[in-house]
Amino acid sequence: MPPAVKTTQAHAGQQPATEAVQEPSVAEDDPSSAPNSAAPNTATPNYADYAVVAARHPWRWVGTVIVVALAAAVLYSLVSNPRWEWGVVAQWFTAESILRGLGQTLKLTVISGSLGFLLGFILALMRLSSSPLFSSVSWTFSWIFRSTPLLVQLLLWYNLGYLYETIRLGVPFTSITFAEFQTTSLISQFAAAVLGLTLNQAAYSAEIIRGGILSVDQGQIEAATALGIPRWRRSTRIVLPQAMRAILPTAFNEIIGLVKGTSIVYVLAYSELFYTVQVIYNRTQQVLPMLLVATIWYIVITSVLSIAQYYIERHYSRGALRTLPPTPLQKLRSFISTHAPIRSTASSTASNTAPKGQS
Amino acid sequence: MSLAMNEVTTRGAIAVRSVDKSYGTTQVLHEVDLDVAAGEVLVVIGPSGSGKSTLLRTINHLEKVDRGTISLDGELIGYKVRNGKLHERRESEILAQRTDVGMVFQNFNLFGHLTALQNIIEAPIHAKGVAKATAVARAKQLLARVGLADKADAYPRQLSGGQQQRVAIARALALDPKVVLFDEPTSALDPELVTEVLEVIKDLAKSGTTLIIVTHEIGFARDVADRIVFMDGGRVVEEGTPAEILGNPRNERTKSFLSKVIEPAFNI
């Protein structure tokens, strides 16, 4: 173990002179090892103690300069142009009405997102089932809801009271009735928004989930079947977790789309974030700053979702990769620990491996 | 069925009666008749596409037969007899029947997102209703038995092929099956990993569980089999003791198959 011997010496602050004294014993153990400070006098020098010089990427520096310059220019114009009216943005950003609208947006997203994906999962299983009834019902559902504009669906649900004045629970084609409701009292703006967004989301997520399920190796299902594991458990415990790797990237696209997609329910005069902003700028005429308020909130939500996406995807890649790559936080920590101020670098490097160049 | 009386164990006798099976227009099984006694080790050999794997899969009801019946300890697989008619069983009953038949696949088919231990306890808990603590204790025993006591928390992709197949065998045994079916258990393995899997199967063969093994390892077949069946073109062509089939095959097709498979230099 010649390097270990040298490391101790370098750490103790001893110089090549001492090393040379130690040399014979080292050479006895391993005749091929050349002393690092001496000129190479054997045919195969020992490279173990050579410092590694990283490859240089000059064009990366050029690229970095251009990108930084562009970013600075955009930032400067955002700050210096008074027409952005940042003061107004700041004033309204956390106003109570805006926060209430934001709450409604989040509520719509969470409710229609989770109901939509749950229904989508069931539709995907129906579509893949061997029953022709289930699979054609599922296909028809997706066909209808994917081929009509969301706007039309929302207005249709909201105006259901015009088409059907009352909703009756009873036996079809008879006069037996258990309960009867006024449609307009059942379908509020909120109910219409949730119905429209959920059903529309379900149609799309059914296809995403079906794609994910199809990407799972048939052998997995076969093995689970052979083990006598019940159908529902097979789907939720064996297939779905493995399908998640294929489902998640697209599913997060959908959810992020849904966050902003909720803004379409302004047609129902439902006071979510976008409608609230509209109401305010119609009154104050500060159109651009108010749109900025909404935009910044959408950016915040999307950022949080993107971070969640990273960690959820990581969770579902367990077992799919032999070792998980480090997270950005872990990378940052290791970067800080290896690029720390000189004194700690010296001690850590010396105690790790390289004795060379630390004088 | 008469052989069953001679054995120590009385569970795991299989009777296949004139089974036909087609995929589309290709008939893969022709009038297959086969009896496996309780505790017997039966090795099925034959060229690719001879119906060996399909036969195994029908025993586990992974494939429905077109005609004929298969029974395990006198109970029909997939059907119930009532009023002189064969009624298809409900899914829950079929699942219960499957827990009596373990299966080991060529490509292991371990659940990639679950650890070795989780792979093994999944079916006992959710197909048989065994308590979790009991299932875990049993799984650890089985892992130790296949020599992988230290790999309980490893994911399949962190294991070698041979180790994965041994976990798969432990998983099949966790249900305490009457019969274990092996579908070319070593075909996907590097030659140096084959032995470790075969050792586990040999050990199992002594335990009195009925085994049906489809394999191309002729040397292994000779060592472990009570009886060898040669299949070709979806038919059972010849059956007998290892000495009869491997040493003195009577059928021409058996002879020609064995002459291709057994190379003198590698003959064990």
Side-chain angles (χ1 to χ4, degrees):
Chain A
M1 306 287 282
V5 174
K6 285 172 201 162
T7 305
T8 337
Q9 288 170 357
H11 196 48
Q14 285 167 322
Q15 290 306 306
T18 335
E19 213 167 71
V21 177
Q22 201 67 21
E23 196 185 312
S25 70
V26 174
E28 266 170 31
D29 291 345
D30 183 4
S32 74
S33 86
N36 57 10
S37 54
N41 49 9
T42 48
T44 51
N46 180 5
Y47 294 117
D49 297 337
Y50 282 53
V52 175
V53 179
R56 298 190 190 284
H57 305 280
W59 285 106
R60 274 190 206 168
W61 286 104
V62 176
T64 308
V65 168
I66 293 172
V67 169
V68 167
L70 282 175
V74 171
L75 211 65
Y76 178 75
S77 87
L78 280 177
V79 175
S80 62
N81 187 341
R83 296 202 178 176
W84 286 108
E85 296 184 80
W86 288 104
V88 179
V89 174
Q91 179 201 334
W92 282 102
F93 191 62
T94 51
E96 206 200 325
S97 54
I98 293 289
L99 292 183
R100 224 180 305 128
L102 178 69
Q104 293 302 323
T105 292
L106 289 174
K107 191 164 120 188
L108 276 181
T109 308
V110 169
I111 294 177
S112 25
S114 36
L115 288 180
F117 270 90
L118 183 69
L119 186 57
F121 177 54
I122 294 166
L123 283 168
L125 290 184
M126 284 170 68
R127 179 78 191 279
L128 292 169
S129 89
S130 51
S131 148
L133 175 70
F134 280 166
S135 107
S136 46
V137 165
S138 168
W139 184 88
T140 312
F141 182 95
S142 289
W143 175 62
I144 291 174
F145 284 92
R146 287 198 301 174
S147 38
T148 46
L150 179 55
L151 198 63
V152 174
Q153 289 174 36
L154 286 168
L155 291 172
L156 209 70
W157 287 117
Y158 192 50
N159 293 308
L160 202 64
Y162 172 75
L163 294 169
Y164 306 96
E165 274 178 35
T166 58
I167 291 175
R168 190 169 69 91
L169 275 181
V171 182
F173 306 113
T174 65
S175 58
I176 304 165
T177 303
F178 305 123
E180 196 167 339
F181 307 96
Q182 286 293 318
T183 308
T184 43
S185 68
L186 267 187
I187 309 273
S188 61
Q189 290 153 315
F190 177 69
V194 166
L195 260 176
L197 291 171
T198 300
L199 297 180
N200 193 65
Q201 194 56 54
Y204 284 96
S205 43
E207 287 298 290
I208 294 171
I209 293 169
R210 188 172 69 96
I213 290 175
L214 289 177
S215 76
V216 176
D217 178 23
Q218 187 64 25
Q220 296 285 309
I221 300 159
E222 204 159 71
T225 313
L227 285 164
I229 296 169
R231 192 179 288 263
W232 179 253
R233 181 81 187 167
R234 233 183 287 159
S235 303
T236 55
R237 174 67 168 165
I238 306 300
V239 179
L240 191 61
Q242 301 191 71
M244 279 304 230
R245 265 171 70 75
I247 292 173
L248 280 172
T250 335
F252 267 93
N253 251 356
E254 282 292 309
I255 292 172
I256 287 170
L258 181 63
V259 173
K260 289 169 289 165
T262 54
S263 63
I264 203 175
V265 304
Y266 82 91
V267 296
L268 308 179
Y270 183 74
S271 54
E272 45 70 57
L273 183 59
F274 193 70
Y275 182 78
T276 311
V277 163
Q278 275 187 316
V279 168
I280 296 170
Y281 72 58
N282 282 335
R283 201 175 60 224
T284 65
Q285 297 305 313
Q286 292 158 322
V287 178
L288 277 179
M290 288 319 293
L291 286 176
L292 264 183
V293 168
T295 305
I296 294 172
W297 274 119
Y298 285 128
I299 291 175
V300 168
I301 299 171
T302 307
S303 311
V304 171
L305 282 174
S306 303
I307 294 169
Q309 173 178 7
Y310 179 83
Y311 283 96
I312 293 174
E313 278 182 13
R314 200 178 149 80
H315 171 82
Y316 280 105
S317 62
R318 270 175 326 166
L321 306 169
R322 285 194 182 200
T323 48
L324 290 173
T327 65
L329 271 181
Q330 288 167 342
K331 273 188 214 156
L332 186 68
R333 257 186 244 127
S334 88
F335 180 85
I336 290 170
S337 69
T338 51
H339 291 71
I342 293 166
R343 210 172 350 138
S344 67
T345 314
S347 66
S348 76
T349 330
S351 61
N352 282 341
T353 43
K356 210 162 179 254
Q358 304 291 337
S359 51
Chain B
M1 297 291 267
S2 59
L3 272 169
M5 300 300 113
N6 307 330
E7 299 289 336
V8 191
T9 46
T10 52
R11 61 204 288 266
I14 288 173
V16 178
R17 292 283 173 270
S18 46
V19 160
D20 283 351
K21 171 76 191 172
S22 305
Y23 294 123
T25 54
T26 331
Q27 189 161 2
V28 282
L29 293 177
H30 291 271
E31 300 254 325
V32 174
D33 275 296
L34 190 66
D35 279 298
V36 189
E40 190 179 13
V41 178
L42 180 80
V43 170
V44 183
I45 59 173
S48 301
S50 58
K52 310 179 300 276
S53 292
T54 309
L55 178 64
L56 282 195
R57 296 161 61 83
T58 56
I59 293 174
N60 206 354
H61 211 260
L62 282 177
E63 304 284 355
K64 241 192 215 171
V65 299
D66 298 336
R67 249 178 34 138
T69 59
I70 297 172
S71 61
L72 171 57
D73 289 338
E75 194 181 305
L76 286 181
I77 299 281
Y79 297 94
K80 245 188 311 206
V81 184
R82 218 189 303 140
N83 303 332
K85 283 180 187 160
L86 292 181
H87 292 263
E88 276 188 16
R89 282 180 189 269
R90 278 181 290 128
E91 166 134 345
S92 59
E93 294 173 311
I94 291 174
L95 289 174
Q97 283 191 325
R98 284 203 184 110
T99 62
D100 285 338
V101 184
M103 183 142 183
V104 175
F105 298 87
Q106 181 176 350
N107 296 318
F108 331 134
N109 290 345
L110 288 178
F111 306 132
H113 63 306
L114 302 179
T115 63
L117 187 85
Q118 289 170 332
N119 261 281
I120 299 173
I121 63 174
E122 181 64 23
I125 295 176
H126 295 282
K128 266 195 149 177
V130 175
K132 187 172 180 194
T134 320
V136 169
R138 172 91 176 116
K140 286 187 173 158
Q141 260 176 25
L142 286 167
L143 277 173
R145 182 167 163 193
V146 298
L148 294 171
D150 56 330
K151 298 290 185 192
D153 296 322
Y155 286 99
R157 272 184 195 82
Q158 296 164 331
L159 300 172
S160 73
Q163 290 172 330
Q164 288 189 49
Q165 192 60 299
R166 285 187 280 155
V167 172
I169 294 173
R171 180 174 73 173
L173 294 178
L175 286 166
D176 198 18
K178 297 175 181 171
V179 185
V180 184
L181 312 172
F182 290 89
D183 190 1
E184 304 196 20
T186 59
S187 297
L189 296 176
D190 289 341
E192 55 179 335
L193 299 177
V194 168
T195 330
E196 65 184 60
V197 171
L198 294 185
E199 286 304 320
V200 170
I201 302 176
K202 260 185 210 172
D203 185 52
L204 193 60
K206 294 177 202 143
S207 73
T209 311
T210 309
L211 304 184
I212 304 182
I213 306 167
V214 169
T215 187
H216 292 297
E217 303 280 337
I218 301 297
F220 169 70
R222 175 179 294 138
D223 276 5
V224 81
D226 292 325
R227 201 151 51 96
I228 294 181
V229 165
F230 174 72
M231 284 184 74
D232 189 22
R235 290 187 169 83
V236 172
V237 173
E238 192 169 356
E239 56 177 286
T241 63
E244 287 166 0
I245 300 287
L246 302 178
N248 186 24
R250 279 162 297 168
N251 191 292
E252 279 309 314
R253 274 185 290 173
T254 319
K255 276 183 202 168
S256 100
F257 173 74
L258 287 174
S259 71
K260 283 176 215 149
V261 181
I262 306 177
E263 294 201 28
F266 294 104
N267 206 347
I268 306 161

